[in-house]
Amino acid sequence: SYAQFKLYDYSHGRDMNMEHGKLMVQHYAQNEYAEESRYQYGEASIDDIWFVLYAEVLKELETAKELVNEQDLPEDIKSNKKAIIDILKVNAFMLLTDSFGDIPYTEALKNDIPLPNYDSQETVYTGMLSTLSSAASSLDTKAISFSSGDIIYNGNVGKWKKFAHSLMLRLAIRVSDAAPSTATKYAATAVTDLITSLDEEPRFTFDSAPDRSNPMWRDKVQDSRDDFAITELLVKELNDRNDPRLAAFADEVPGGGIVGMPYGLDDNSASSLKSSTSRPHAKLLEATAHHVILSLSEVKFLLAEAYQRGILTGNAEAAYKEGITSSMNYWGITDADAINDYLNTQPYDPSNWKASIGTQKWISLYTSGTEAWAEWRRLDQPNLKPSANGVVSSIPTKMPYPQSERSNNASSLSDVSNKPTNITVKVWWDKN
């Protein structure tokens, strides 16, 4: 339970989601203390991300797996529990490697190796895909798993199997430019049992207890922070498309209407617009809101791309439309005529499929900043312009390695990077 909470608390919270992912893809702009909008990262935040994912998520999961081995239970139940833990570990390792690139993987989490060597991102992805494949195949829907403690699916093995395959599809398509044969191999396995409805989406629902509540609520209510506005770019893109999701994304300003903030301003310019620009919708800030770990719309867009690339056989246009429809449905838009009208104004373009899929995926991933950043780096859509005030001239494509690693594990880190604070070098799968 603790590992699940910490994993999705960070995936949804300030350091990874609001102050990084959502800023990099320009869903959010900062309306004061706008350093991160200008690509200036605080060392403490980067250190915290690294520490939490390794020590408070992955190590907790590894310990949980050891405890499962010691339980007096039938082997099929223990096997299900360990497979679920492995799926969560892949989710955490993916966040790390997509953020930093090469990371400790094969030697990580071992008590007798305090300073682990780094693995290439290609090695990490190969390992994660193999782990997911083994986990998915070992899940036995005729047996139970966790009777308590699983906050995502309450031990539902069938849903965990669908999540495993859907996560496998995400990984497979992510490496499609870097390792096409690997992508084809694992996509063929993944497609056999994917998430097919909103009810099957893996979601982490936060608790009403303040210390387990939505980190966006804690940020606003407990910490009295009000640092983020929706961007002028996102408002324009949705208004130009007459997109009904905008009303669910943001609140109106006191005078009426949803008003976005220009991105990447200096602190004074941003602060001067704070009172006249729109905040994220109040429902997104509720204490018991949820984090969508992997959405139905993402699955549909992944399938559309797989069909378009010829990795899988299917109708890319139909899957693209299903991706948009699923996103609309998630945001409470269910009127079929309204959705069809929107689809007619946003036709699928097979000759420029990256723009079609990439732009709609960018919209649909509004609450998932880290995933939106990964997909923007891979598809290069939509065409985002970096902050004119940025400390670098392009949008960052990775996080800097943490100070703790540069100080404590410098020898291992130097084997993979001679510029550990470089934030514009591309990770292995980012080939375009």
Side-chain angles (χ1 to χ4, degrees):
S1 301
Y2 182 75
Q4 286 185 348
F5 169 71
K6 292 302 292 188
L7 175 56
Y8 301 116
D9 182 58
Y10 257 70
S11 299
H12 200 70
R14 173 177 279 267
D15 288 351
M16 291 198 77
N17 188 31
M18 295 186 288
E19 212 163 58
H20 190 83
K22 291 175 72 63
L23 290 178
M24 295 305 99
V25 298
Q26 300 178 27
H27 288 155
Y28 280 3
Q30 288 169 303
N31 51 36
E32 58 182 355
Y33 313 120
E35 291 87 354
E36 288 81 9
S37 294
R38 301 191 299 271
Y39 319 131
Q40 296 173 274
Y41 304 130
E43 294 281 8
S45 295
I46 301 300
D47 275 359
D48 284 349
I49 290 167
W50 187 273
F51 173 80
V52 167
L53 290 178
Y54 271 114
E56 297 192 357
V57 176
L58 285 163
K59 190 60 179 176
E60 289 286 309
L61 291 170
E62 187 76 358
T63 303
K65 197 171 180 181
E66 292 169 2
L67 292 172
V68 168
N69 278 326
E70 297 172 5
Q71 290 182 316
D72 184 17
L73 290 171
E75 283 303 316
D76 53 359
I77 299 176
K78 291 169 70 172
S79 178
N80 280 345
K81 288 186 175 186
K82 289 187 288 185
I84 289 169
I85 290 170
D86 280 343
I87 296 164
L88 290 165
K89 286 176 67 177
V90 168
N91 199 173
F93 271 123
M94 189 176 190
L95 279 170
L96 279 163
T97 190
D98 286 351
S99 298
F100 295 99
D102 300 341
I103 58 169
Y105 180 69
T106 56
E107 291 187 356
L109 314 179
K110 298 183 184 299
N111 292 332
D112 58 341
I113 305 179
L115 299 175
N117 286 321
Y118 280 63
D119 293 283
S120 69
Q121 188 174 56
E122 181 176 9
T123 297
V124 177
Y125 259 83
T126 300
M128 291 192 299
L129 282 162
S130 177
T131 297
L132 273 183
S133 181
S134 296
S137 63
S138 67
L139 284 169
D140 183 355
T141 57
K142 295 179 182 178
I144 62 172
S145 65
F146 292 98
S147 58
S148 64
D150 172 18
I151 305 171
I152 300 168
Y153 282 139
N154 295 313
N156 186 311
V157 178
K159 288 185 176 181
W160 274 106
K161 200 175 187 75
K162 287 178 176 291
F163 176 27
H165 283 104
S166 300
L167 187 58
M168 190 189 305
L169 183 63
R170 177 194 280 180
L171 270 74
I173 299 305
R174 187 146 301 164
V175 304
S176 54
D177 287 324
S181 60
T182 299
T184 299
K185 172 185 174 181
Y186 285 101
T189 300
V191 76
T192 59
D193 190 16
L194 296 169
I195 295 164
T196 58
S197 70
L198 292 176
D199 290 340
E200 293 173 347
E201 286 183 347
R203 301 176 182 178
F204 186 92
T205 301
F206 293 99
D207 197 89
S208 58
D211 59 343
R212 300 189 299 274
S213 61
N214 175 10
M216 296 177 71
W217 178 88
R218 299 199 311 268
D219 190 70
K220 182 174 180 61
V221 177
Q222 288 191 317
D223 299 336
S224 300
R225 300 295 295 266
D226 181 23
D227 300 356
F228 303 101
I230 191 170
T231 62
E232 186 177 67
L233 172 68
L234 186 59
V235 173
K236 181 182 184 304
E237 291 293 328
L238 270 65
N239 275 334
D240 286 352
R241 291 171 171 77
N242 196 24
D243 195 314
R245 288 171 288 189
L246 181 58
F249 284 8
D251 282 334
E252 295 188 355
V253 297
I258 295 174
V259 181
M261 175 173 281
Y263 176 79
L265 300 175
D266 62 80
D267 287 1
N268 289 335
S269 298
S271 295
S272 70
L273 296 173
K274 182 169 184 175
S275 62
S276 60
T277 48
S278 292
R279 304 296 189 271
H281 198 286
K283 286 187 177 181
L284 301 176
L285 307 180
E286 292 176 353
T288 56
H290 63 256
H291 171 71
V292 178
I293 302 166
L294 200 159
S295 68
L296 176 62
S297 63
E298 182 183 350
V299 170
K300 296 299 184 181
F301 287 129
L302 289 169
L303 287 173
E305 182 174 345
Y307 298 152
Q308 182 64 50
R309 287 178 178 269
I311 293 173
L312 297 171
T313 301
N315 188 318
E317 180 180 10
Y320 163 81
K321 290 180 177 180
E322 290 169 354
I324 295 174
T325 301
S326 300
S327 178
M328 293 280 187
N329 291 167
Y330 170 81
W331 289 102
I333 301 154
T334 57
D335 183 277
D337 291 336
I339 294 172
N340 283 332
D341 288 344
Y342 182 86
L343 292 173
N344 289 334
T345 66
Q346 303 299 313
Y348 181 68
D349 183 358
S351 66
N352 194 12
W353 62 267
K354 286 189 176 182
S356 293
I357 295 173
T359 300
Q360 284 298 327
K361 205 168 192 181
W362 175 73
I363 296 170
S364 71
L365 289 169
Y366 171 63
T367 61
S368 301
T370 54
E371 185 61 19
W373 181 46
E375 288 299 84
W376 174 81
R377 285 177 285 164
R378 191 176 63 82
L379 295 171
D380 299 300
Q381 294 291 335
N383 183 19
L384 303 178
K385 296 180 180 179
S387 167
N389 300 300
V391 296
V392 292
S393 60
S394 59
I395 297 170
T397 47
K398 70 181 292 296
M399 287 183 177
Y401 283 108
Q403 177 63 53
S404 57
E405 284 294 288
R406 303 194 317 259
S407 298
N408 301 327
N409 199 16
S411 177
S412 296
L413 178 55
S414 66
D415 288 339
V416 298
S417 176
N418 58 7
K419 295 181 179 179
T421 60
N422 189 326
I423 56 175
T424 58
V425 63
K426 292 186 175 184
V427 296
W428 164 73
W429 47 252
D430 184 5
K431 295 298 184 184
N432 299 316

